[in-house]
Amino acid sequence: MKKEKWLLEKFYEHISDNKKEKFDAYVQDRTRHVTVVLENIFQPHNAAAVLRSCDCFGVQDVHIIENFNKYEPNKEIDMGSSKWLDTIKYSKTENNTTECIQALKAKGYKIVATTPHTDDCMIEDLPLDQPIALMFGTELTGLTDEALEQADAYVRLPMYGFTESYNISVSVALALFSVTERMRKDENVNWELSEEEQDAIKLGWAKQVVKHSEKVEKILGERFEEEND
């Protein structure tokens, strides 16, 4: 048995049946076919609302680019959603936006900038034949030129009023609703996670609810090594 699977079984011994049932059920709807990229988001309530939307729509990964602004979600608004997601931050290089985009492209993602553009399409017309990374920019100025230049496609959301744009958290929610609903209904889109991915996510969730999980994992890890030496 692989170590991660073994650890999951051991952690499951320390959590309630109710939690286990929820983990086993919710992970079935998680996806990495769609991921969200946030560039320079700085308002805590918006950051938190985005995380809640990602969790609600089953989007497991959120990629966070910190070029100018530190990403600090409001904990009261995110309602604990951040602990059920995998957040990947890009903040250590001179060019965090490029680092993020290149990393996603290497994994097969199409980079889709959410912004009005001469070559854009409506969100409901965005093809889902390959993994999609939806990029959203700062509340004030949107995505940087660097992000727009490296994007593979551009989408816009339907608007019928005088206001030029939606709030960032609303934009994410609208985009994810459109994309994930179509994705789940399309039999040609392989959006589900593998068994190994599901186990890894459930292990991460279990660590969130088991007290002193780092110590528990260390002890279990040593035990696993002894038993498989």
Side-chain angles (χ1 to χ4, degrees):
M1 183 183 294
K2 291 186 177 180
K3 183 177 181 180
E4 200 160 61
K5 184 81 171 181
W6 186 87
L7 284 173
L8 175 61
E9 290 184 359
K10 297 304 178 184
F11 264 90
Y12 261 30
E13 295 175 1
H14 298 276
I15 64 179
S16 67
D17 289 340
N18 180 54
K19 272 285 191 292
K20 286 185 283 188
E21 289 173 4
K22 286 184 176 181
F23 290 172
D24 292 342
Y26 293 164
V27 79
Q28 299 296 322
D29 290 321
R30 282 312 216 224
T31 189
R32 287 193 167 110
H33 191 77
V34 176
T35 191
V36 167
V37 181
L38 304 174
E39 185 189 43
N40 299 322
I41 306 300
F42 66 90
Q43 294 183 353
H45 61 282
N46 281 337
V50 167
L51 295 182
R52 286 181 66 178
S53 293
C54 289
D55 179 45
C56 288
F57 288 111
V59 173
Q60 183 62 29
D61 297 339
V62 181
H63 297 262
I64 299 166
I65 299 169
E66 296 180 330
N67 286 325
F68 313 117
N69 307 313
K70 188 172 178 60
Y71 187 81
E72 297 179 332
N74 184 309
K75 296 299 182 182
E76 293 183 1
I77 295 176
D78 84 7
M79 299 293 288
S81 57
S82 58
K83 67 182 180 181
W84 310 122
L85 302 172
D86 291 327
T87 55
I88 303 94
K89 289 190 176 184
Y90 303 83
S91 60
K92 298 181 179 179
T93 68
E94 185 177 348
N95 211 324
N96 297 304
T97 296
T98 294
E99 181 192 10
C100 176
I101 291 174
Q102 289 180 347
L104 287 168
K105 286 188 176 184
K107 293 180 179 180
Y109 281 95
K110 175 188 284 187
I111 309 301
V112 180
T114 54
T115 180
H117 192 277
T118 54
D119 298 319
D120 62 10
C121 70
M122 295 299 291
I123 189 69
E124 61 265 27
D125 298 322
L126 179 66
L128 303 177
D129 55 336
Q130 73 178 86
I132 298 296
L134 293 170
M135 290 195 74
F136 300 86
T138 181
E139 296 88 345
L140 295 176
T141 57
L143 290 166
T144 60
D145 290 340
E146 183 181 359
L148 294 174
E149 290 169 1
Q150 297 181 70
D152 301 308
Y154 308 87
V155 295
R156 54 193 168 93
L157 301 171
M159 292 188 62
Y160 306 101
F162 293 101
T163 309
E164 292 185 0
S165 64
Y166 291 104
N167 174 280
I168 178 64
S169 61
V170 174
S171 294
V172 172
L174 289 172
L176 290 184
F177 175 78
S178 173
V179 171
T180 58
E181 283 293 293
R182 290 192 293 119
M183 173 195 75
R184 296 178 196 279
K185 294 176 181 178
D186 192 334
E187 296 180 354
N188 296 316
V189 177
N190 182 24
W191 60 269
E192 296 96 335
L193 297 174
S194 68
E195 183 178 348
E196 286 188 359
E197 288 178 304
Q198 291 184 19
D199 286 344
I201 289 171
K202 288 191 291 184
L203 178 57
W205 291 348
K207 291 177 185 177
Q208 294 291 339
V209 298
V210 172
K211 291 183 178 180
H212 310 297
S213 60
E214 290 185 2
K215 289 184 178 179
V216 172
E217 184 177 16
K218 184 176 185 296
I219 294 171
L220 289 174
E222 292 173 351
R223 179 177 158 191
F224 178 86
E225 298 300 333
E226 290 175 359
E227 294 180 0
N228 292 272
D229 190 4

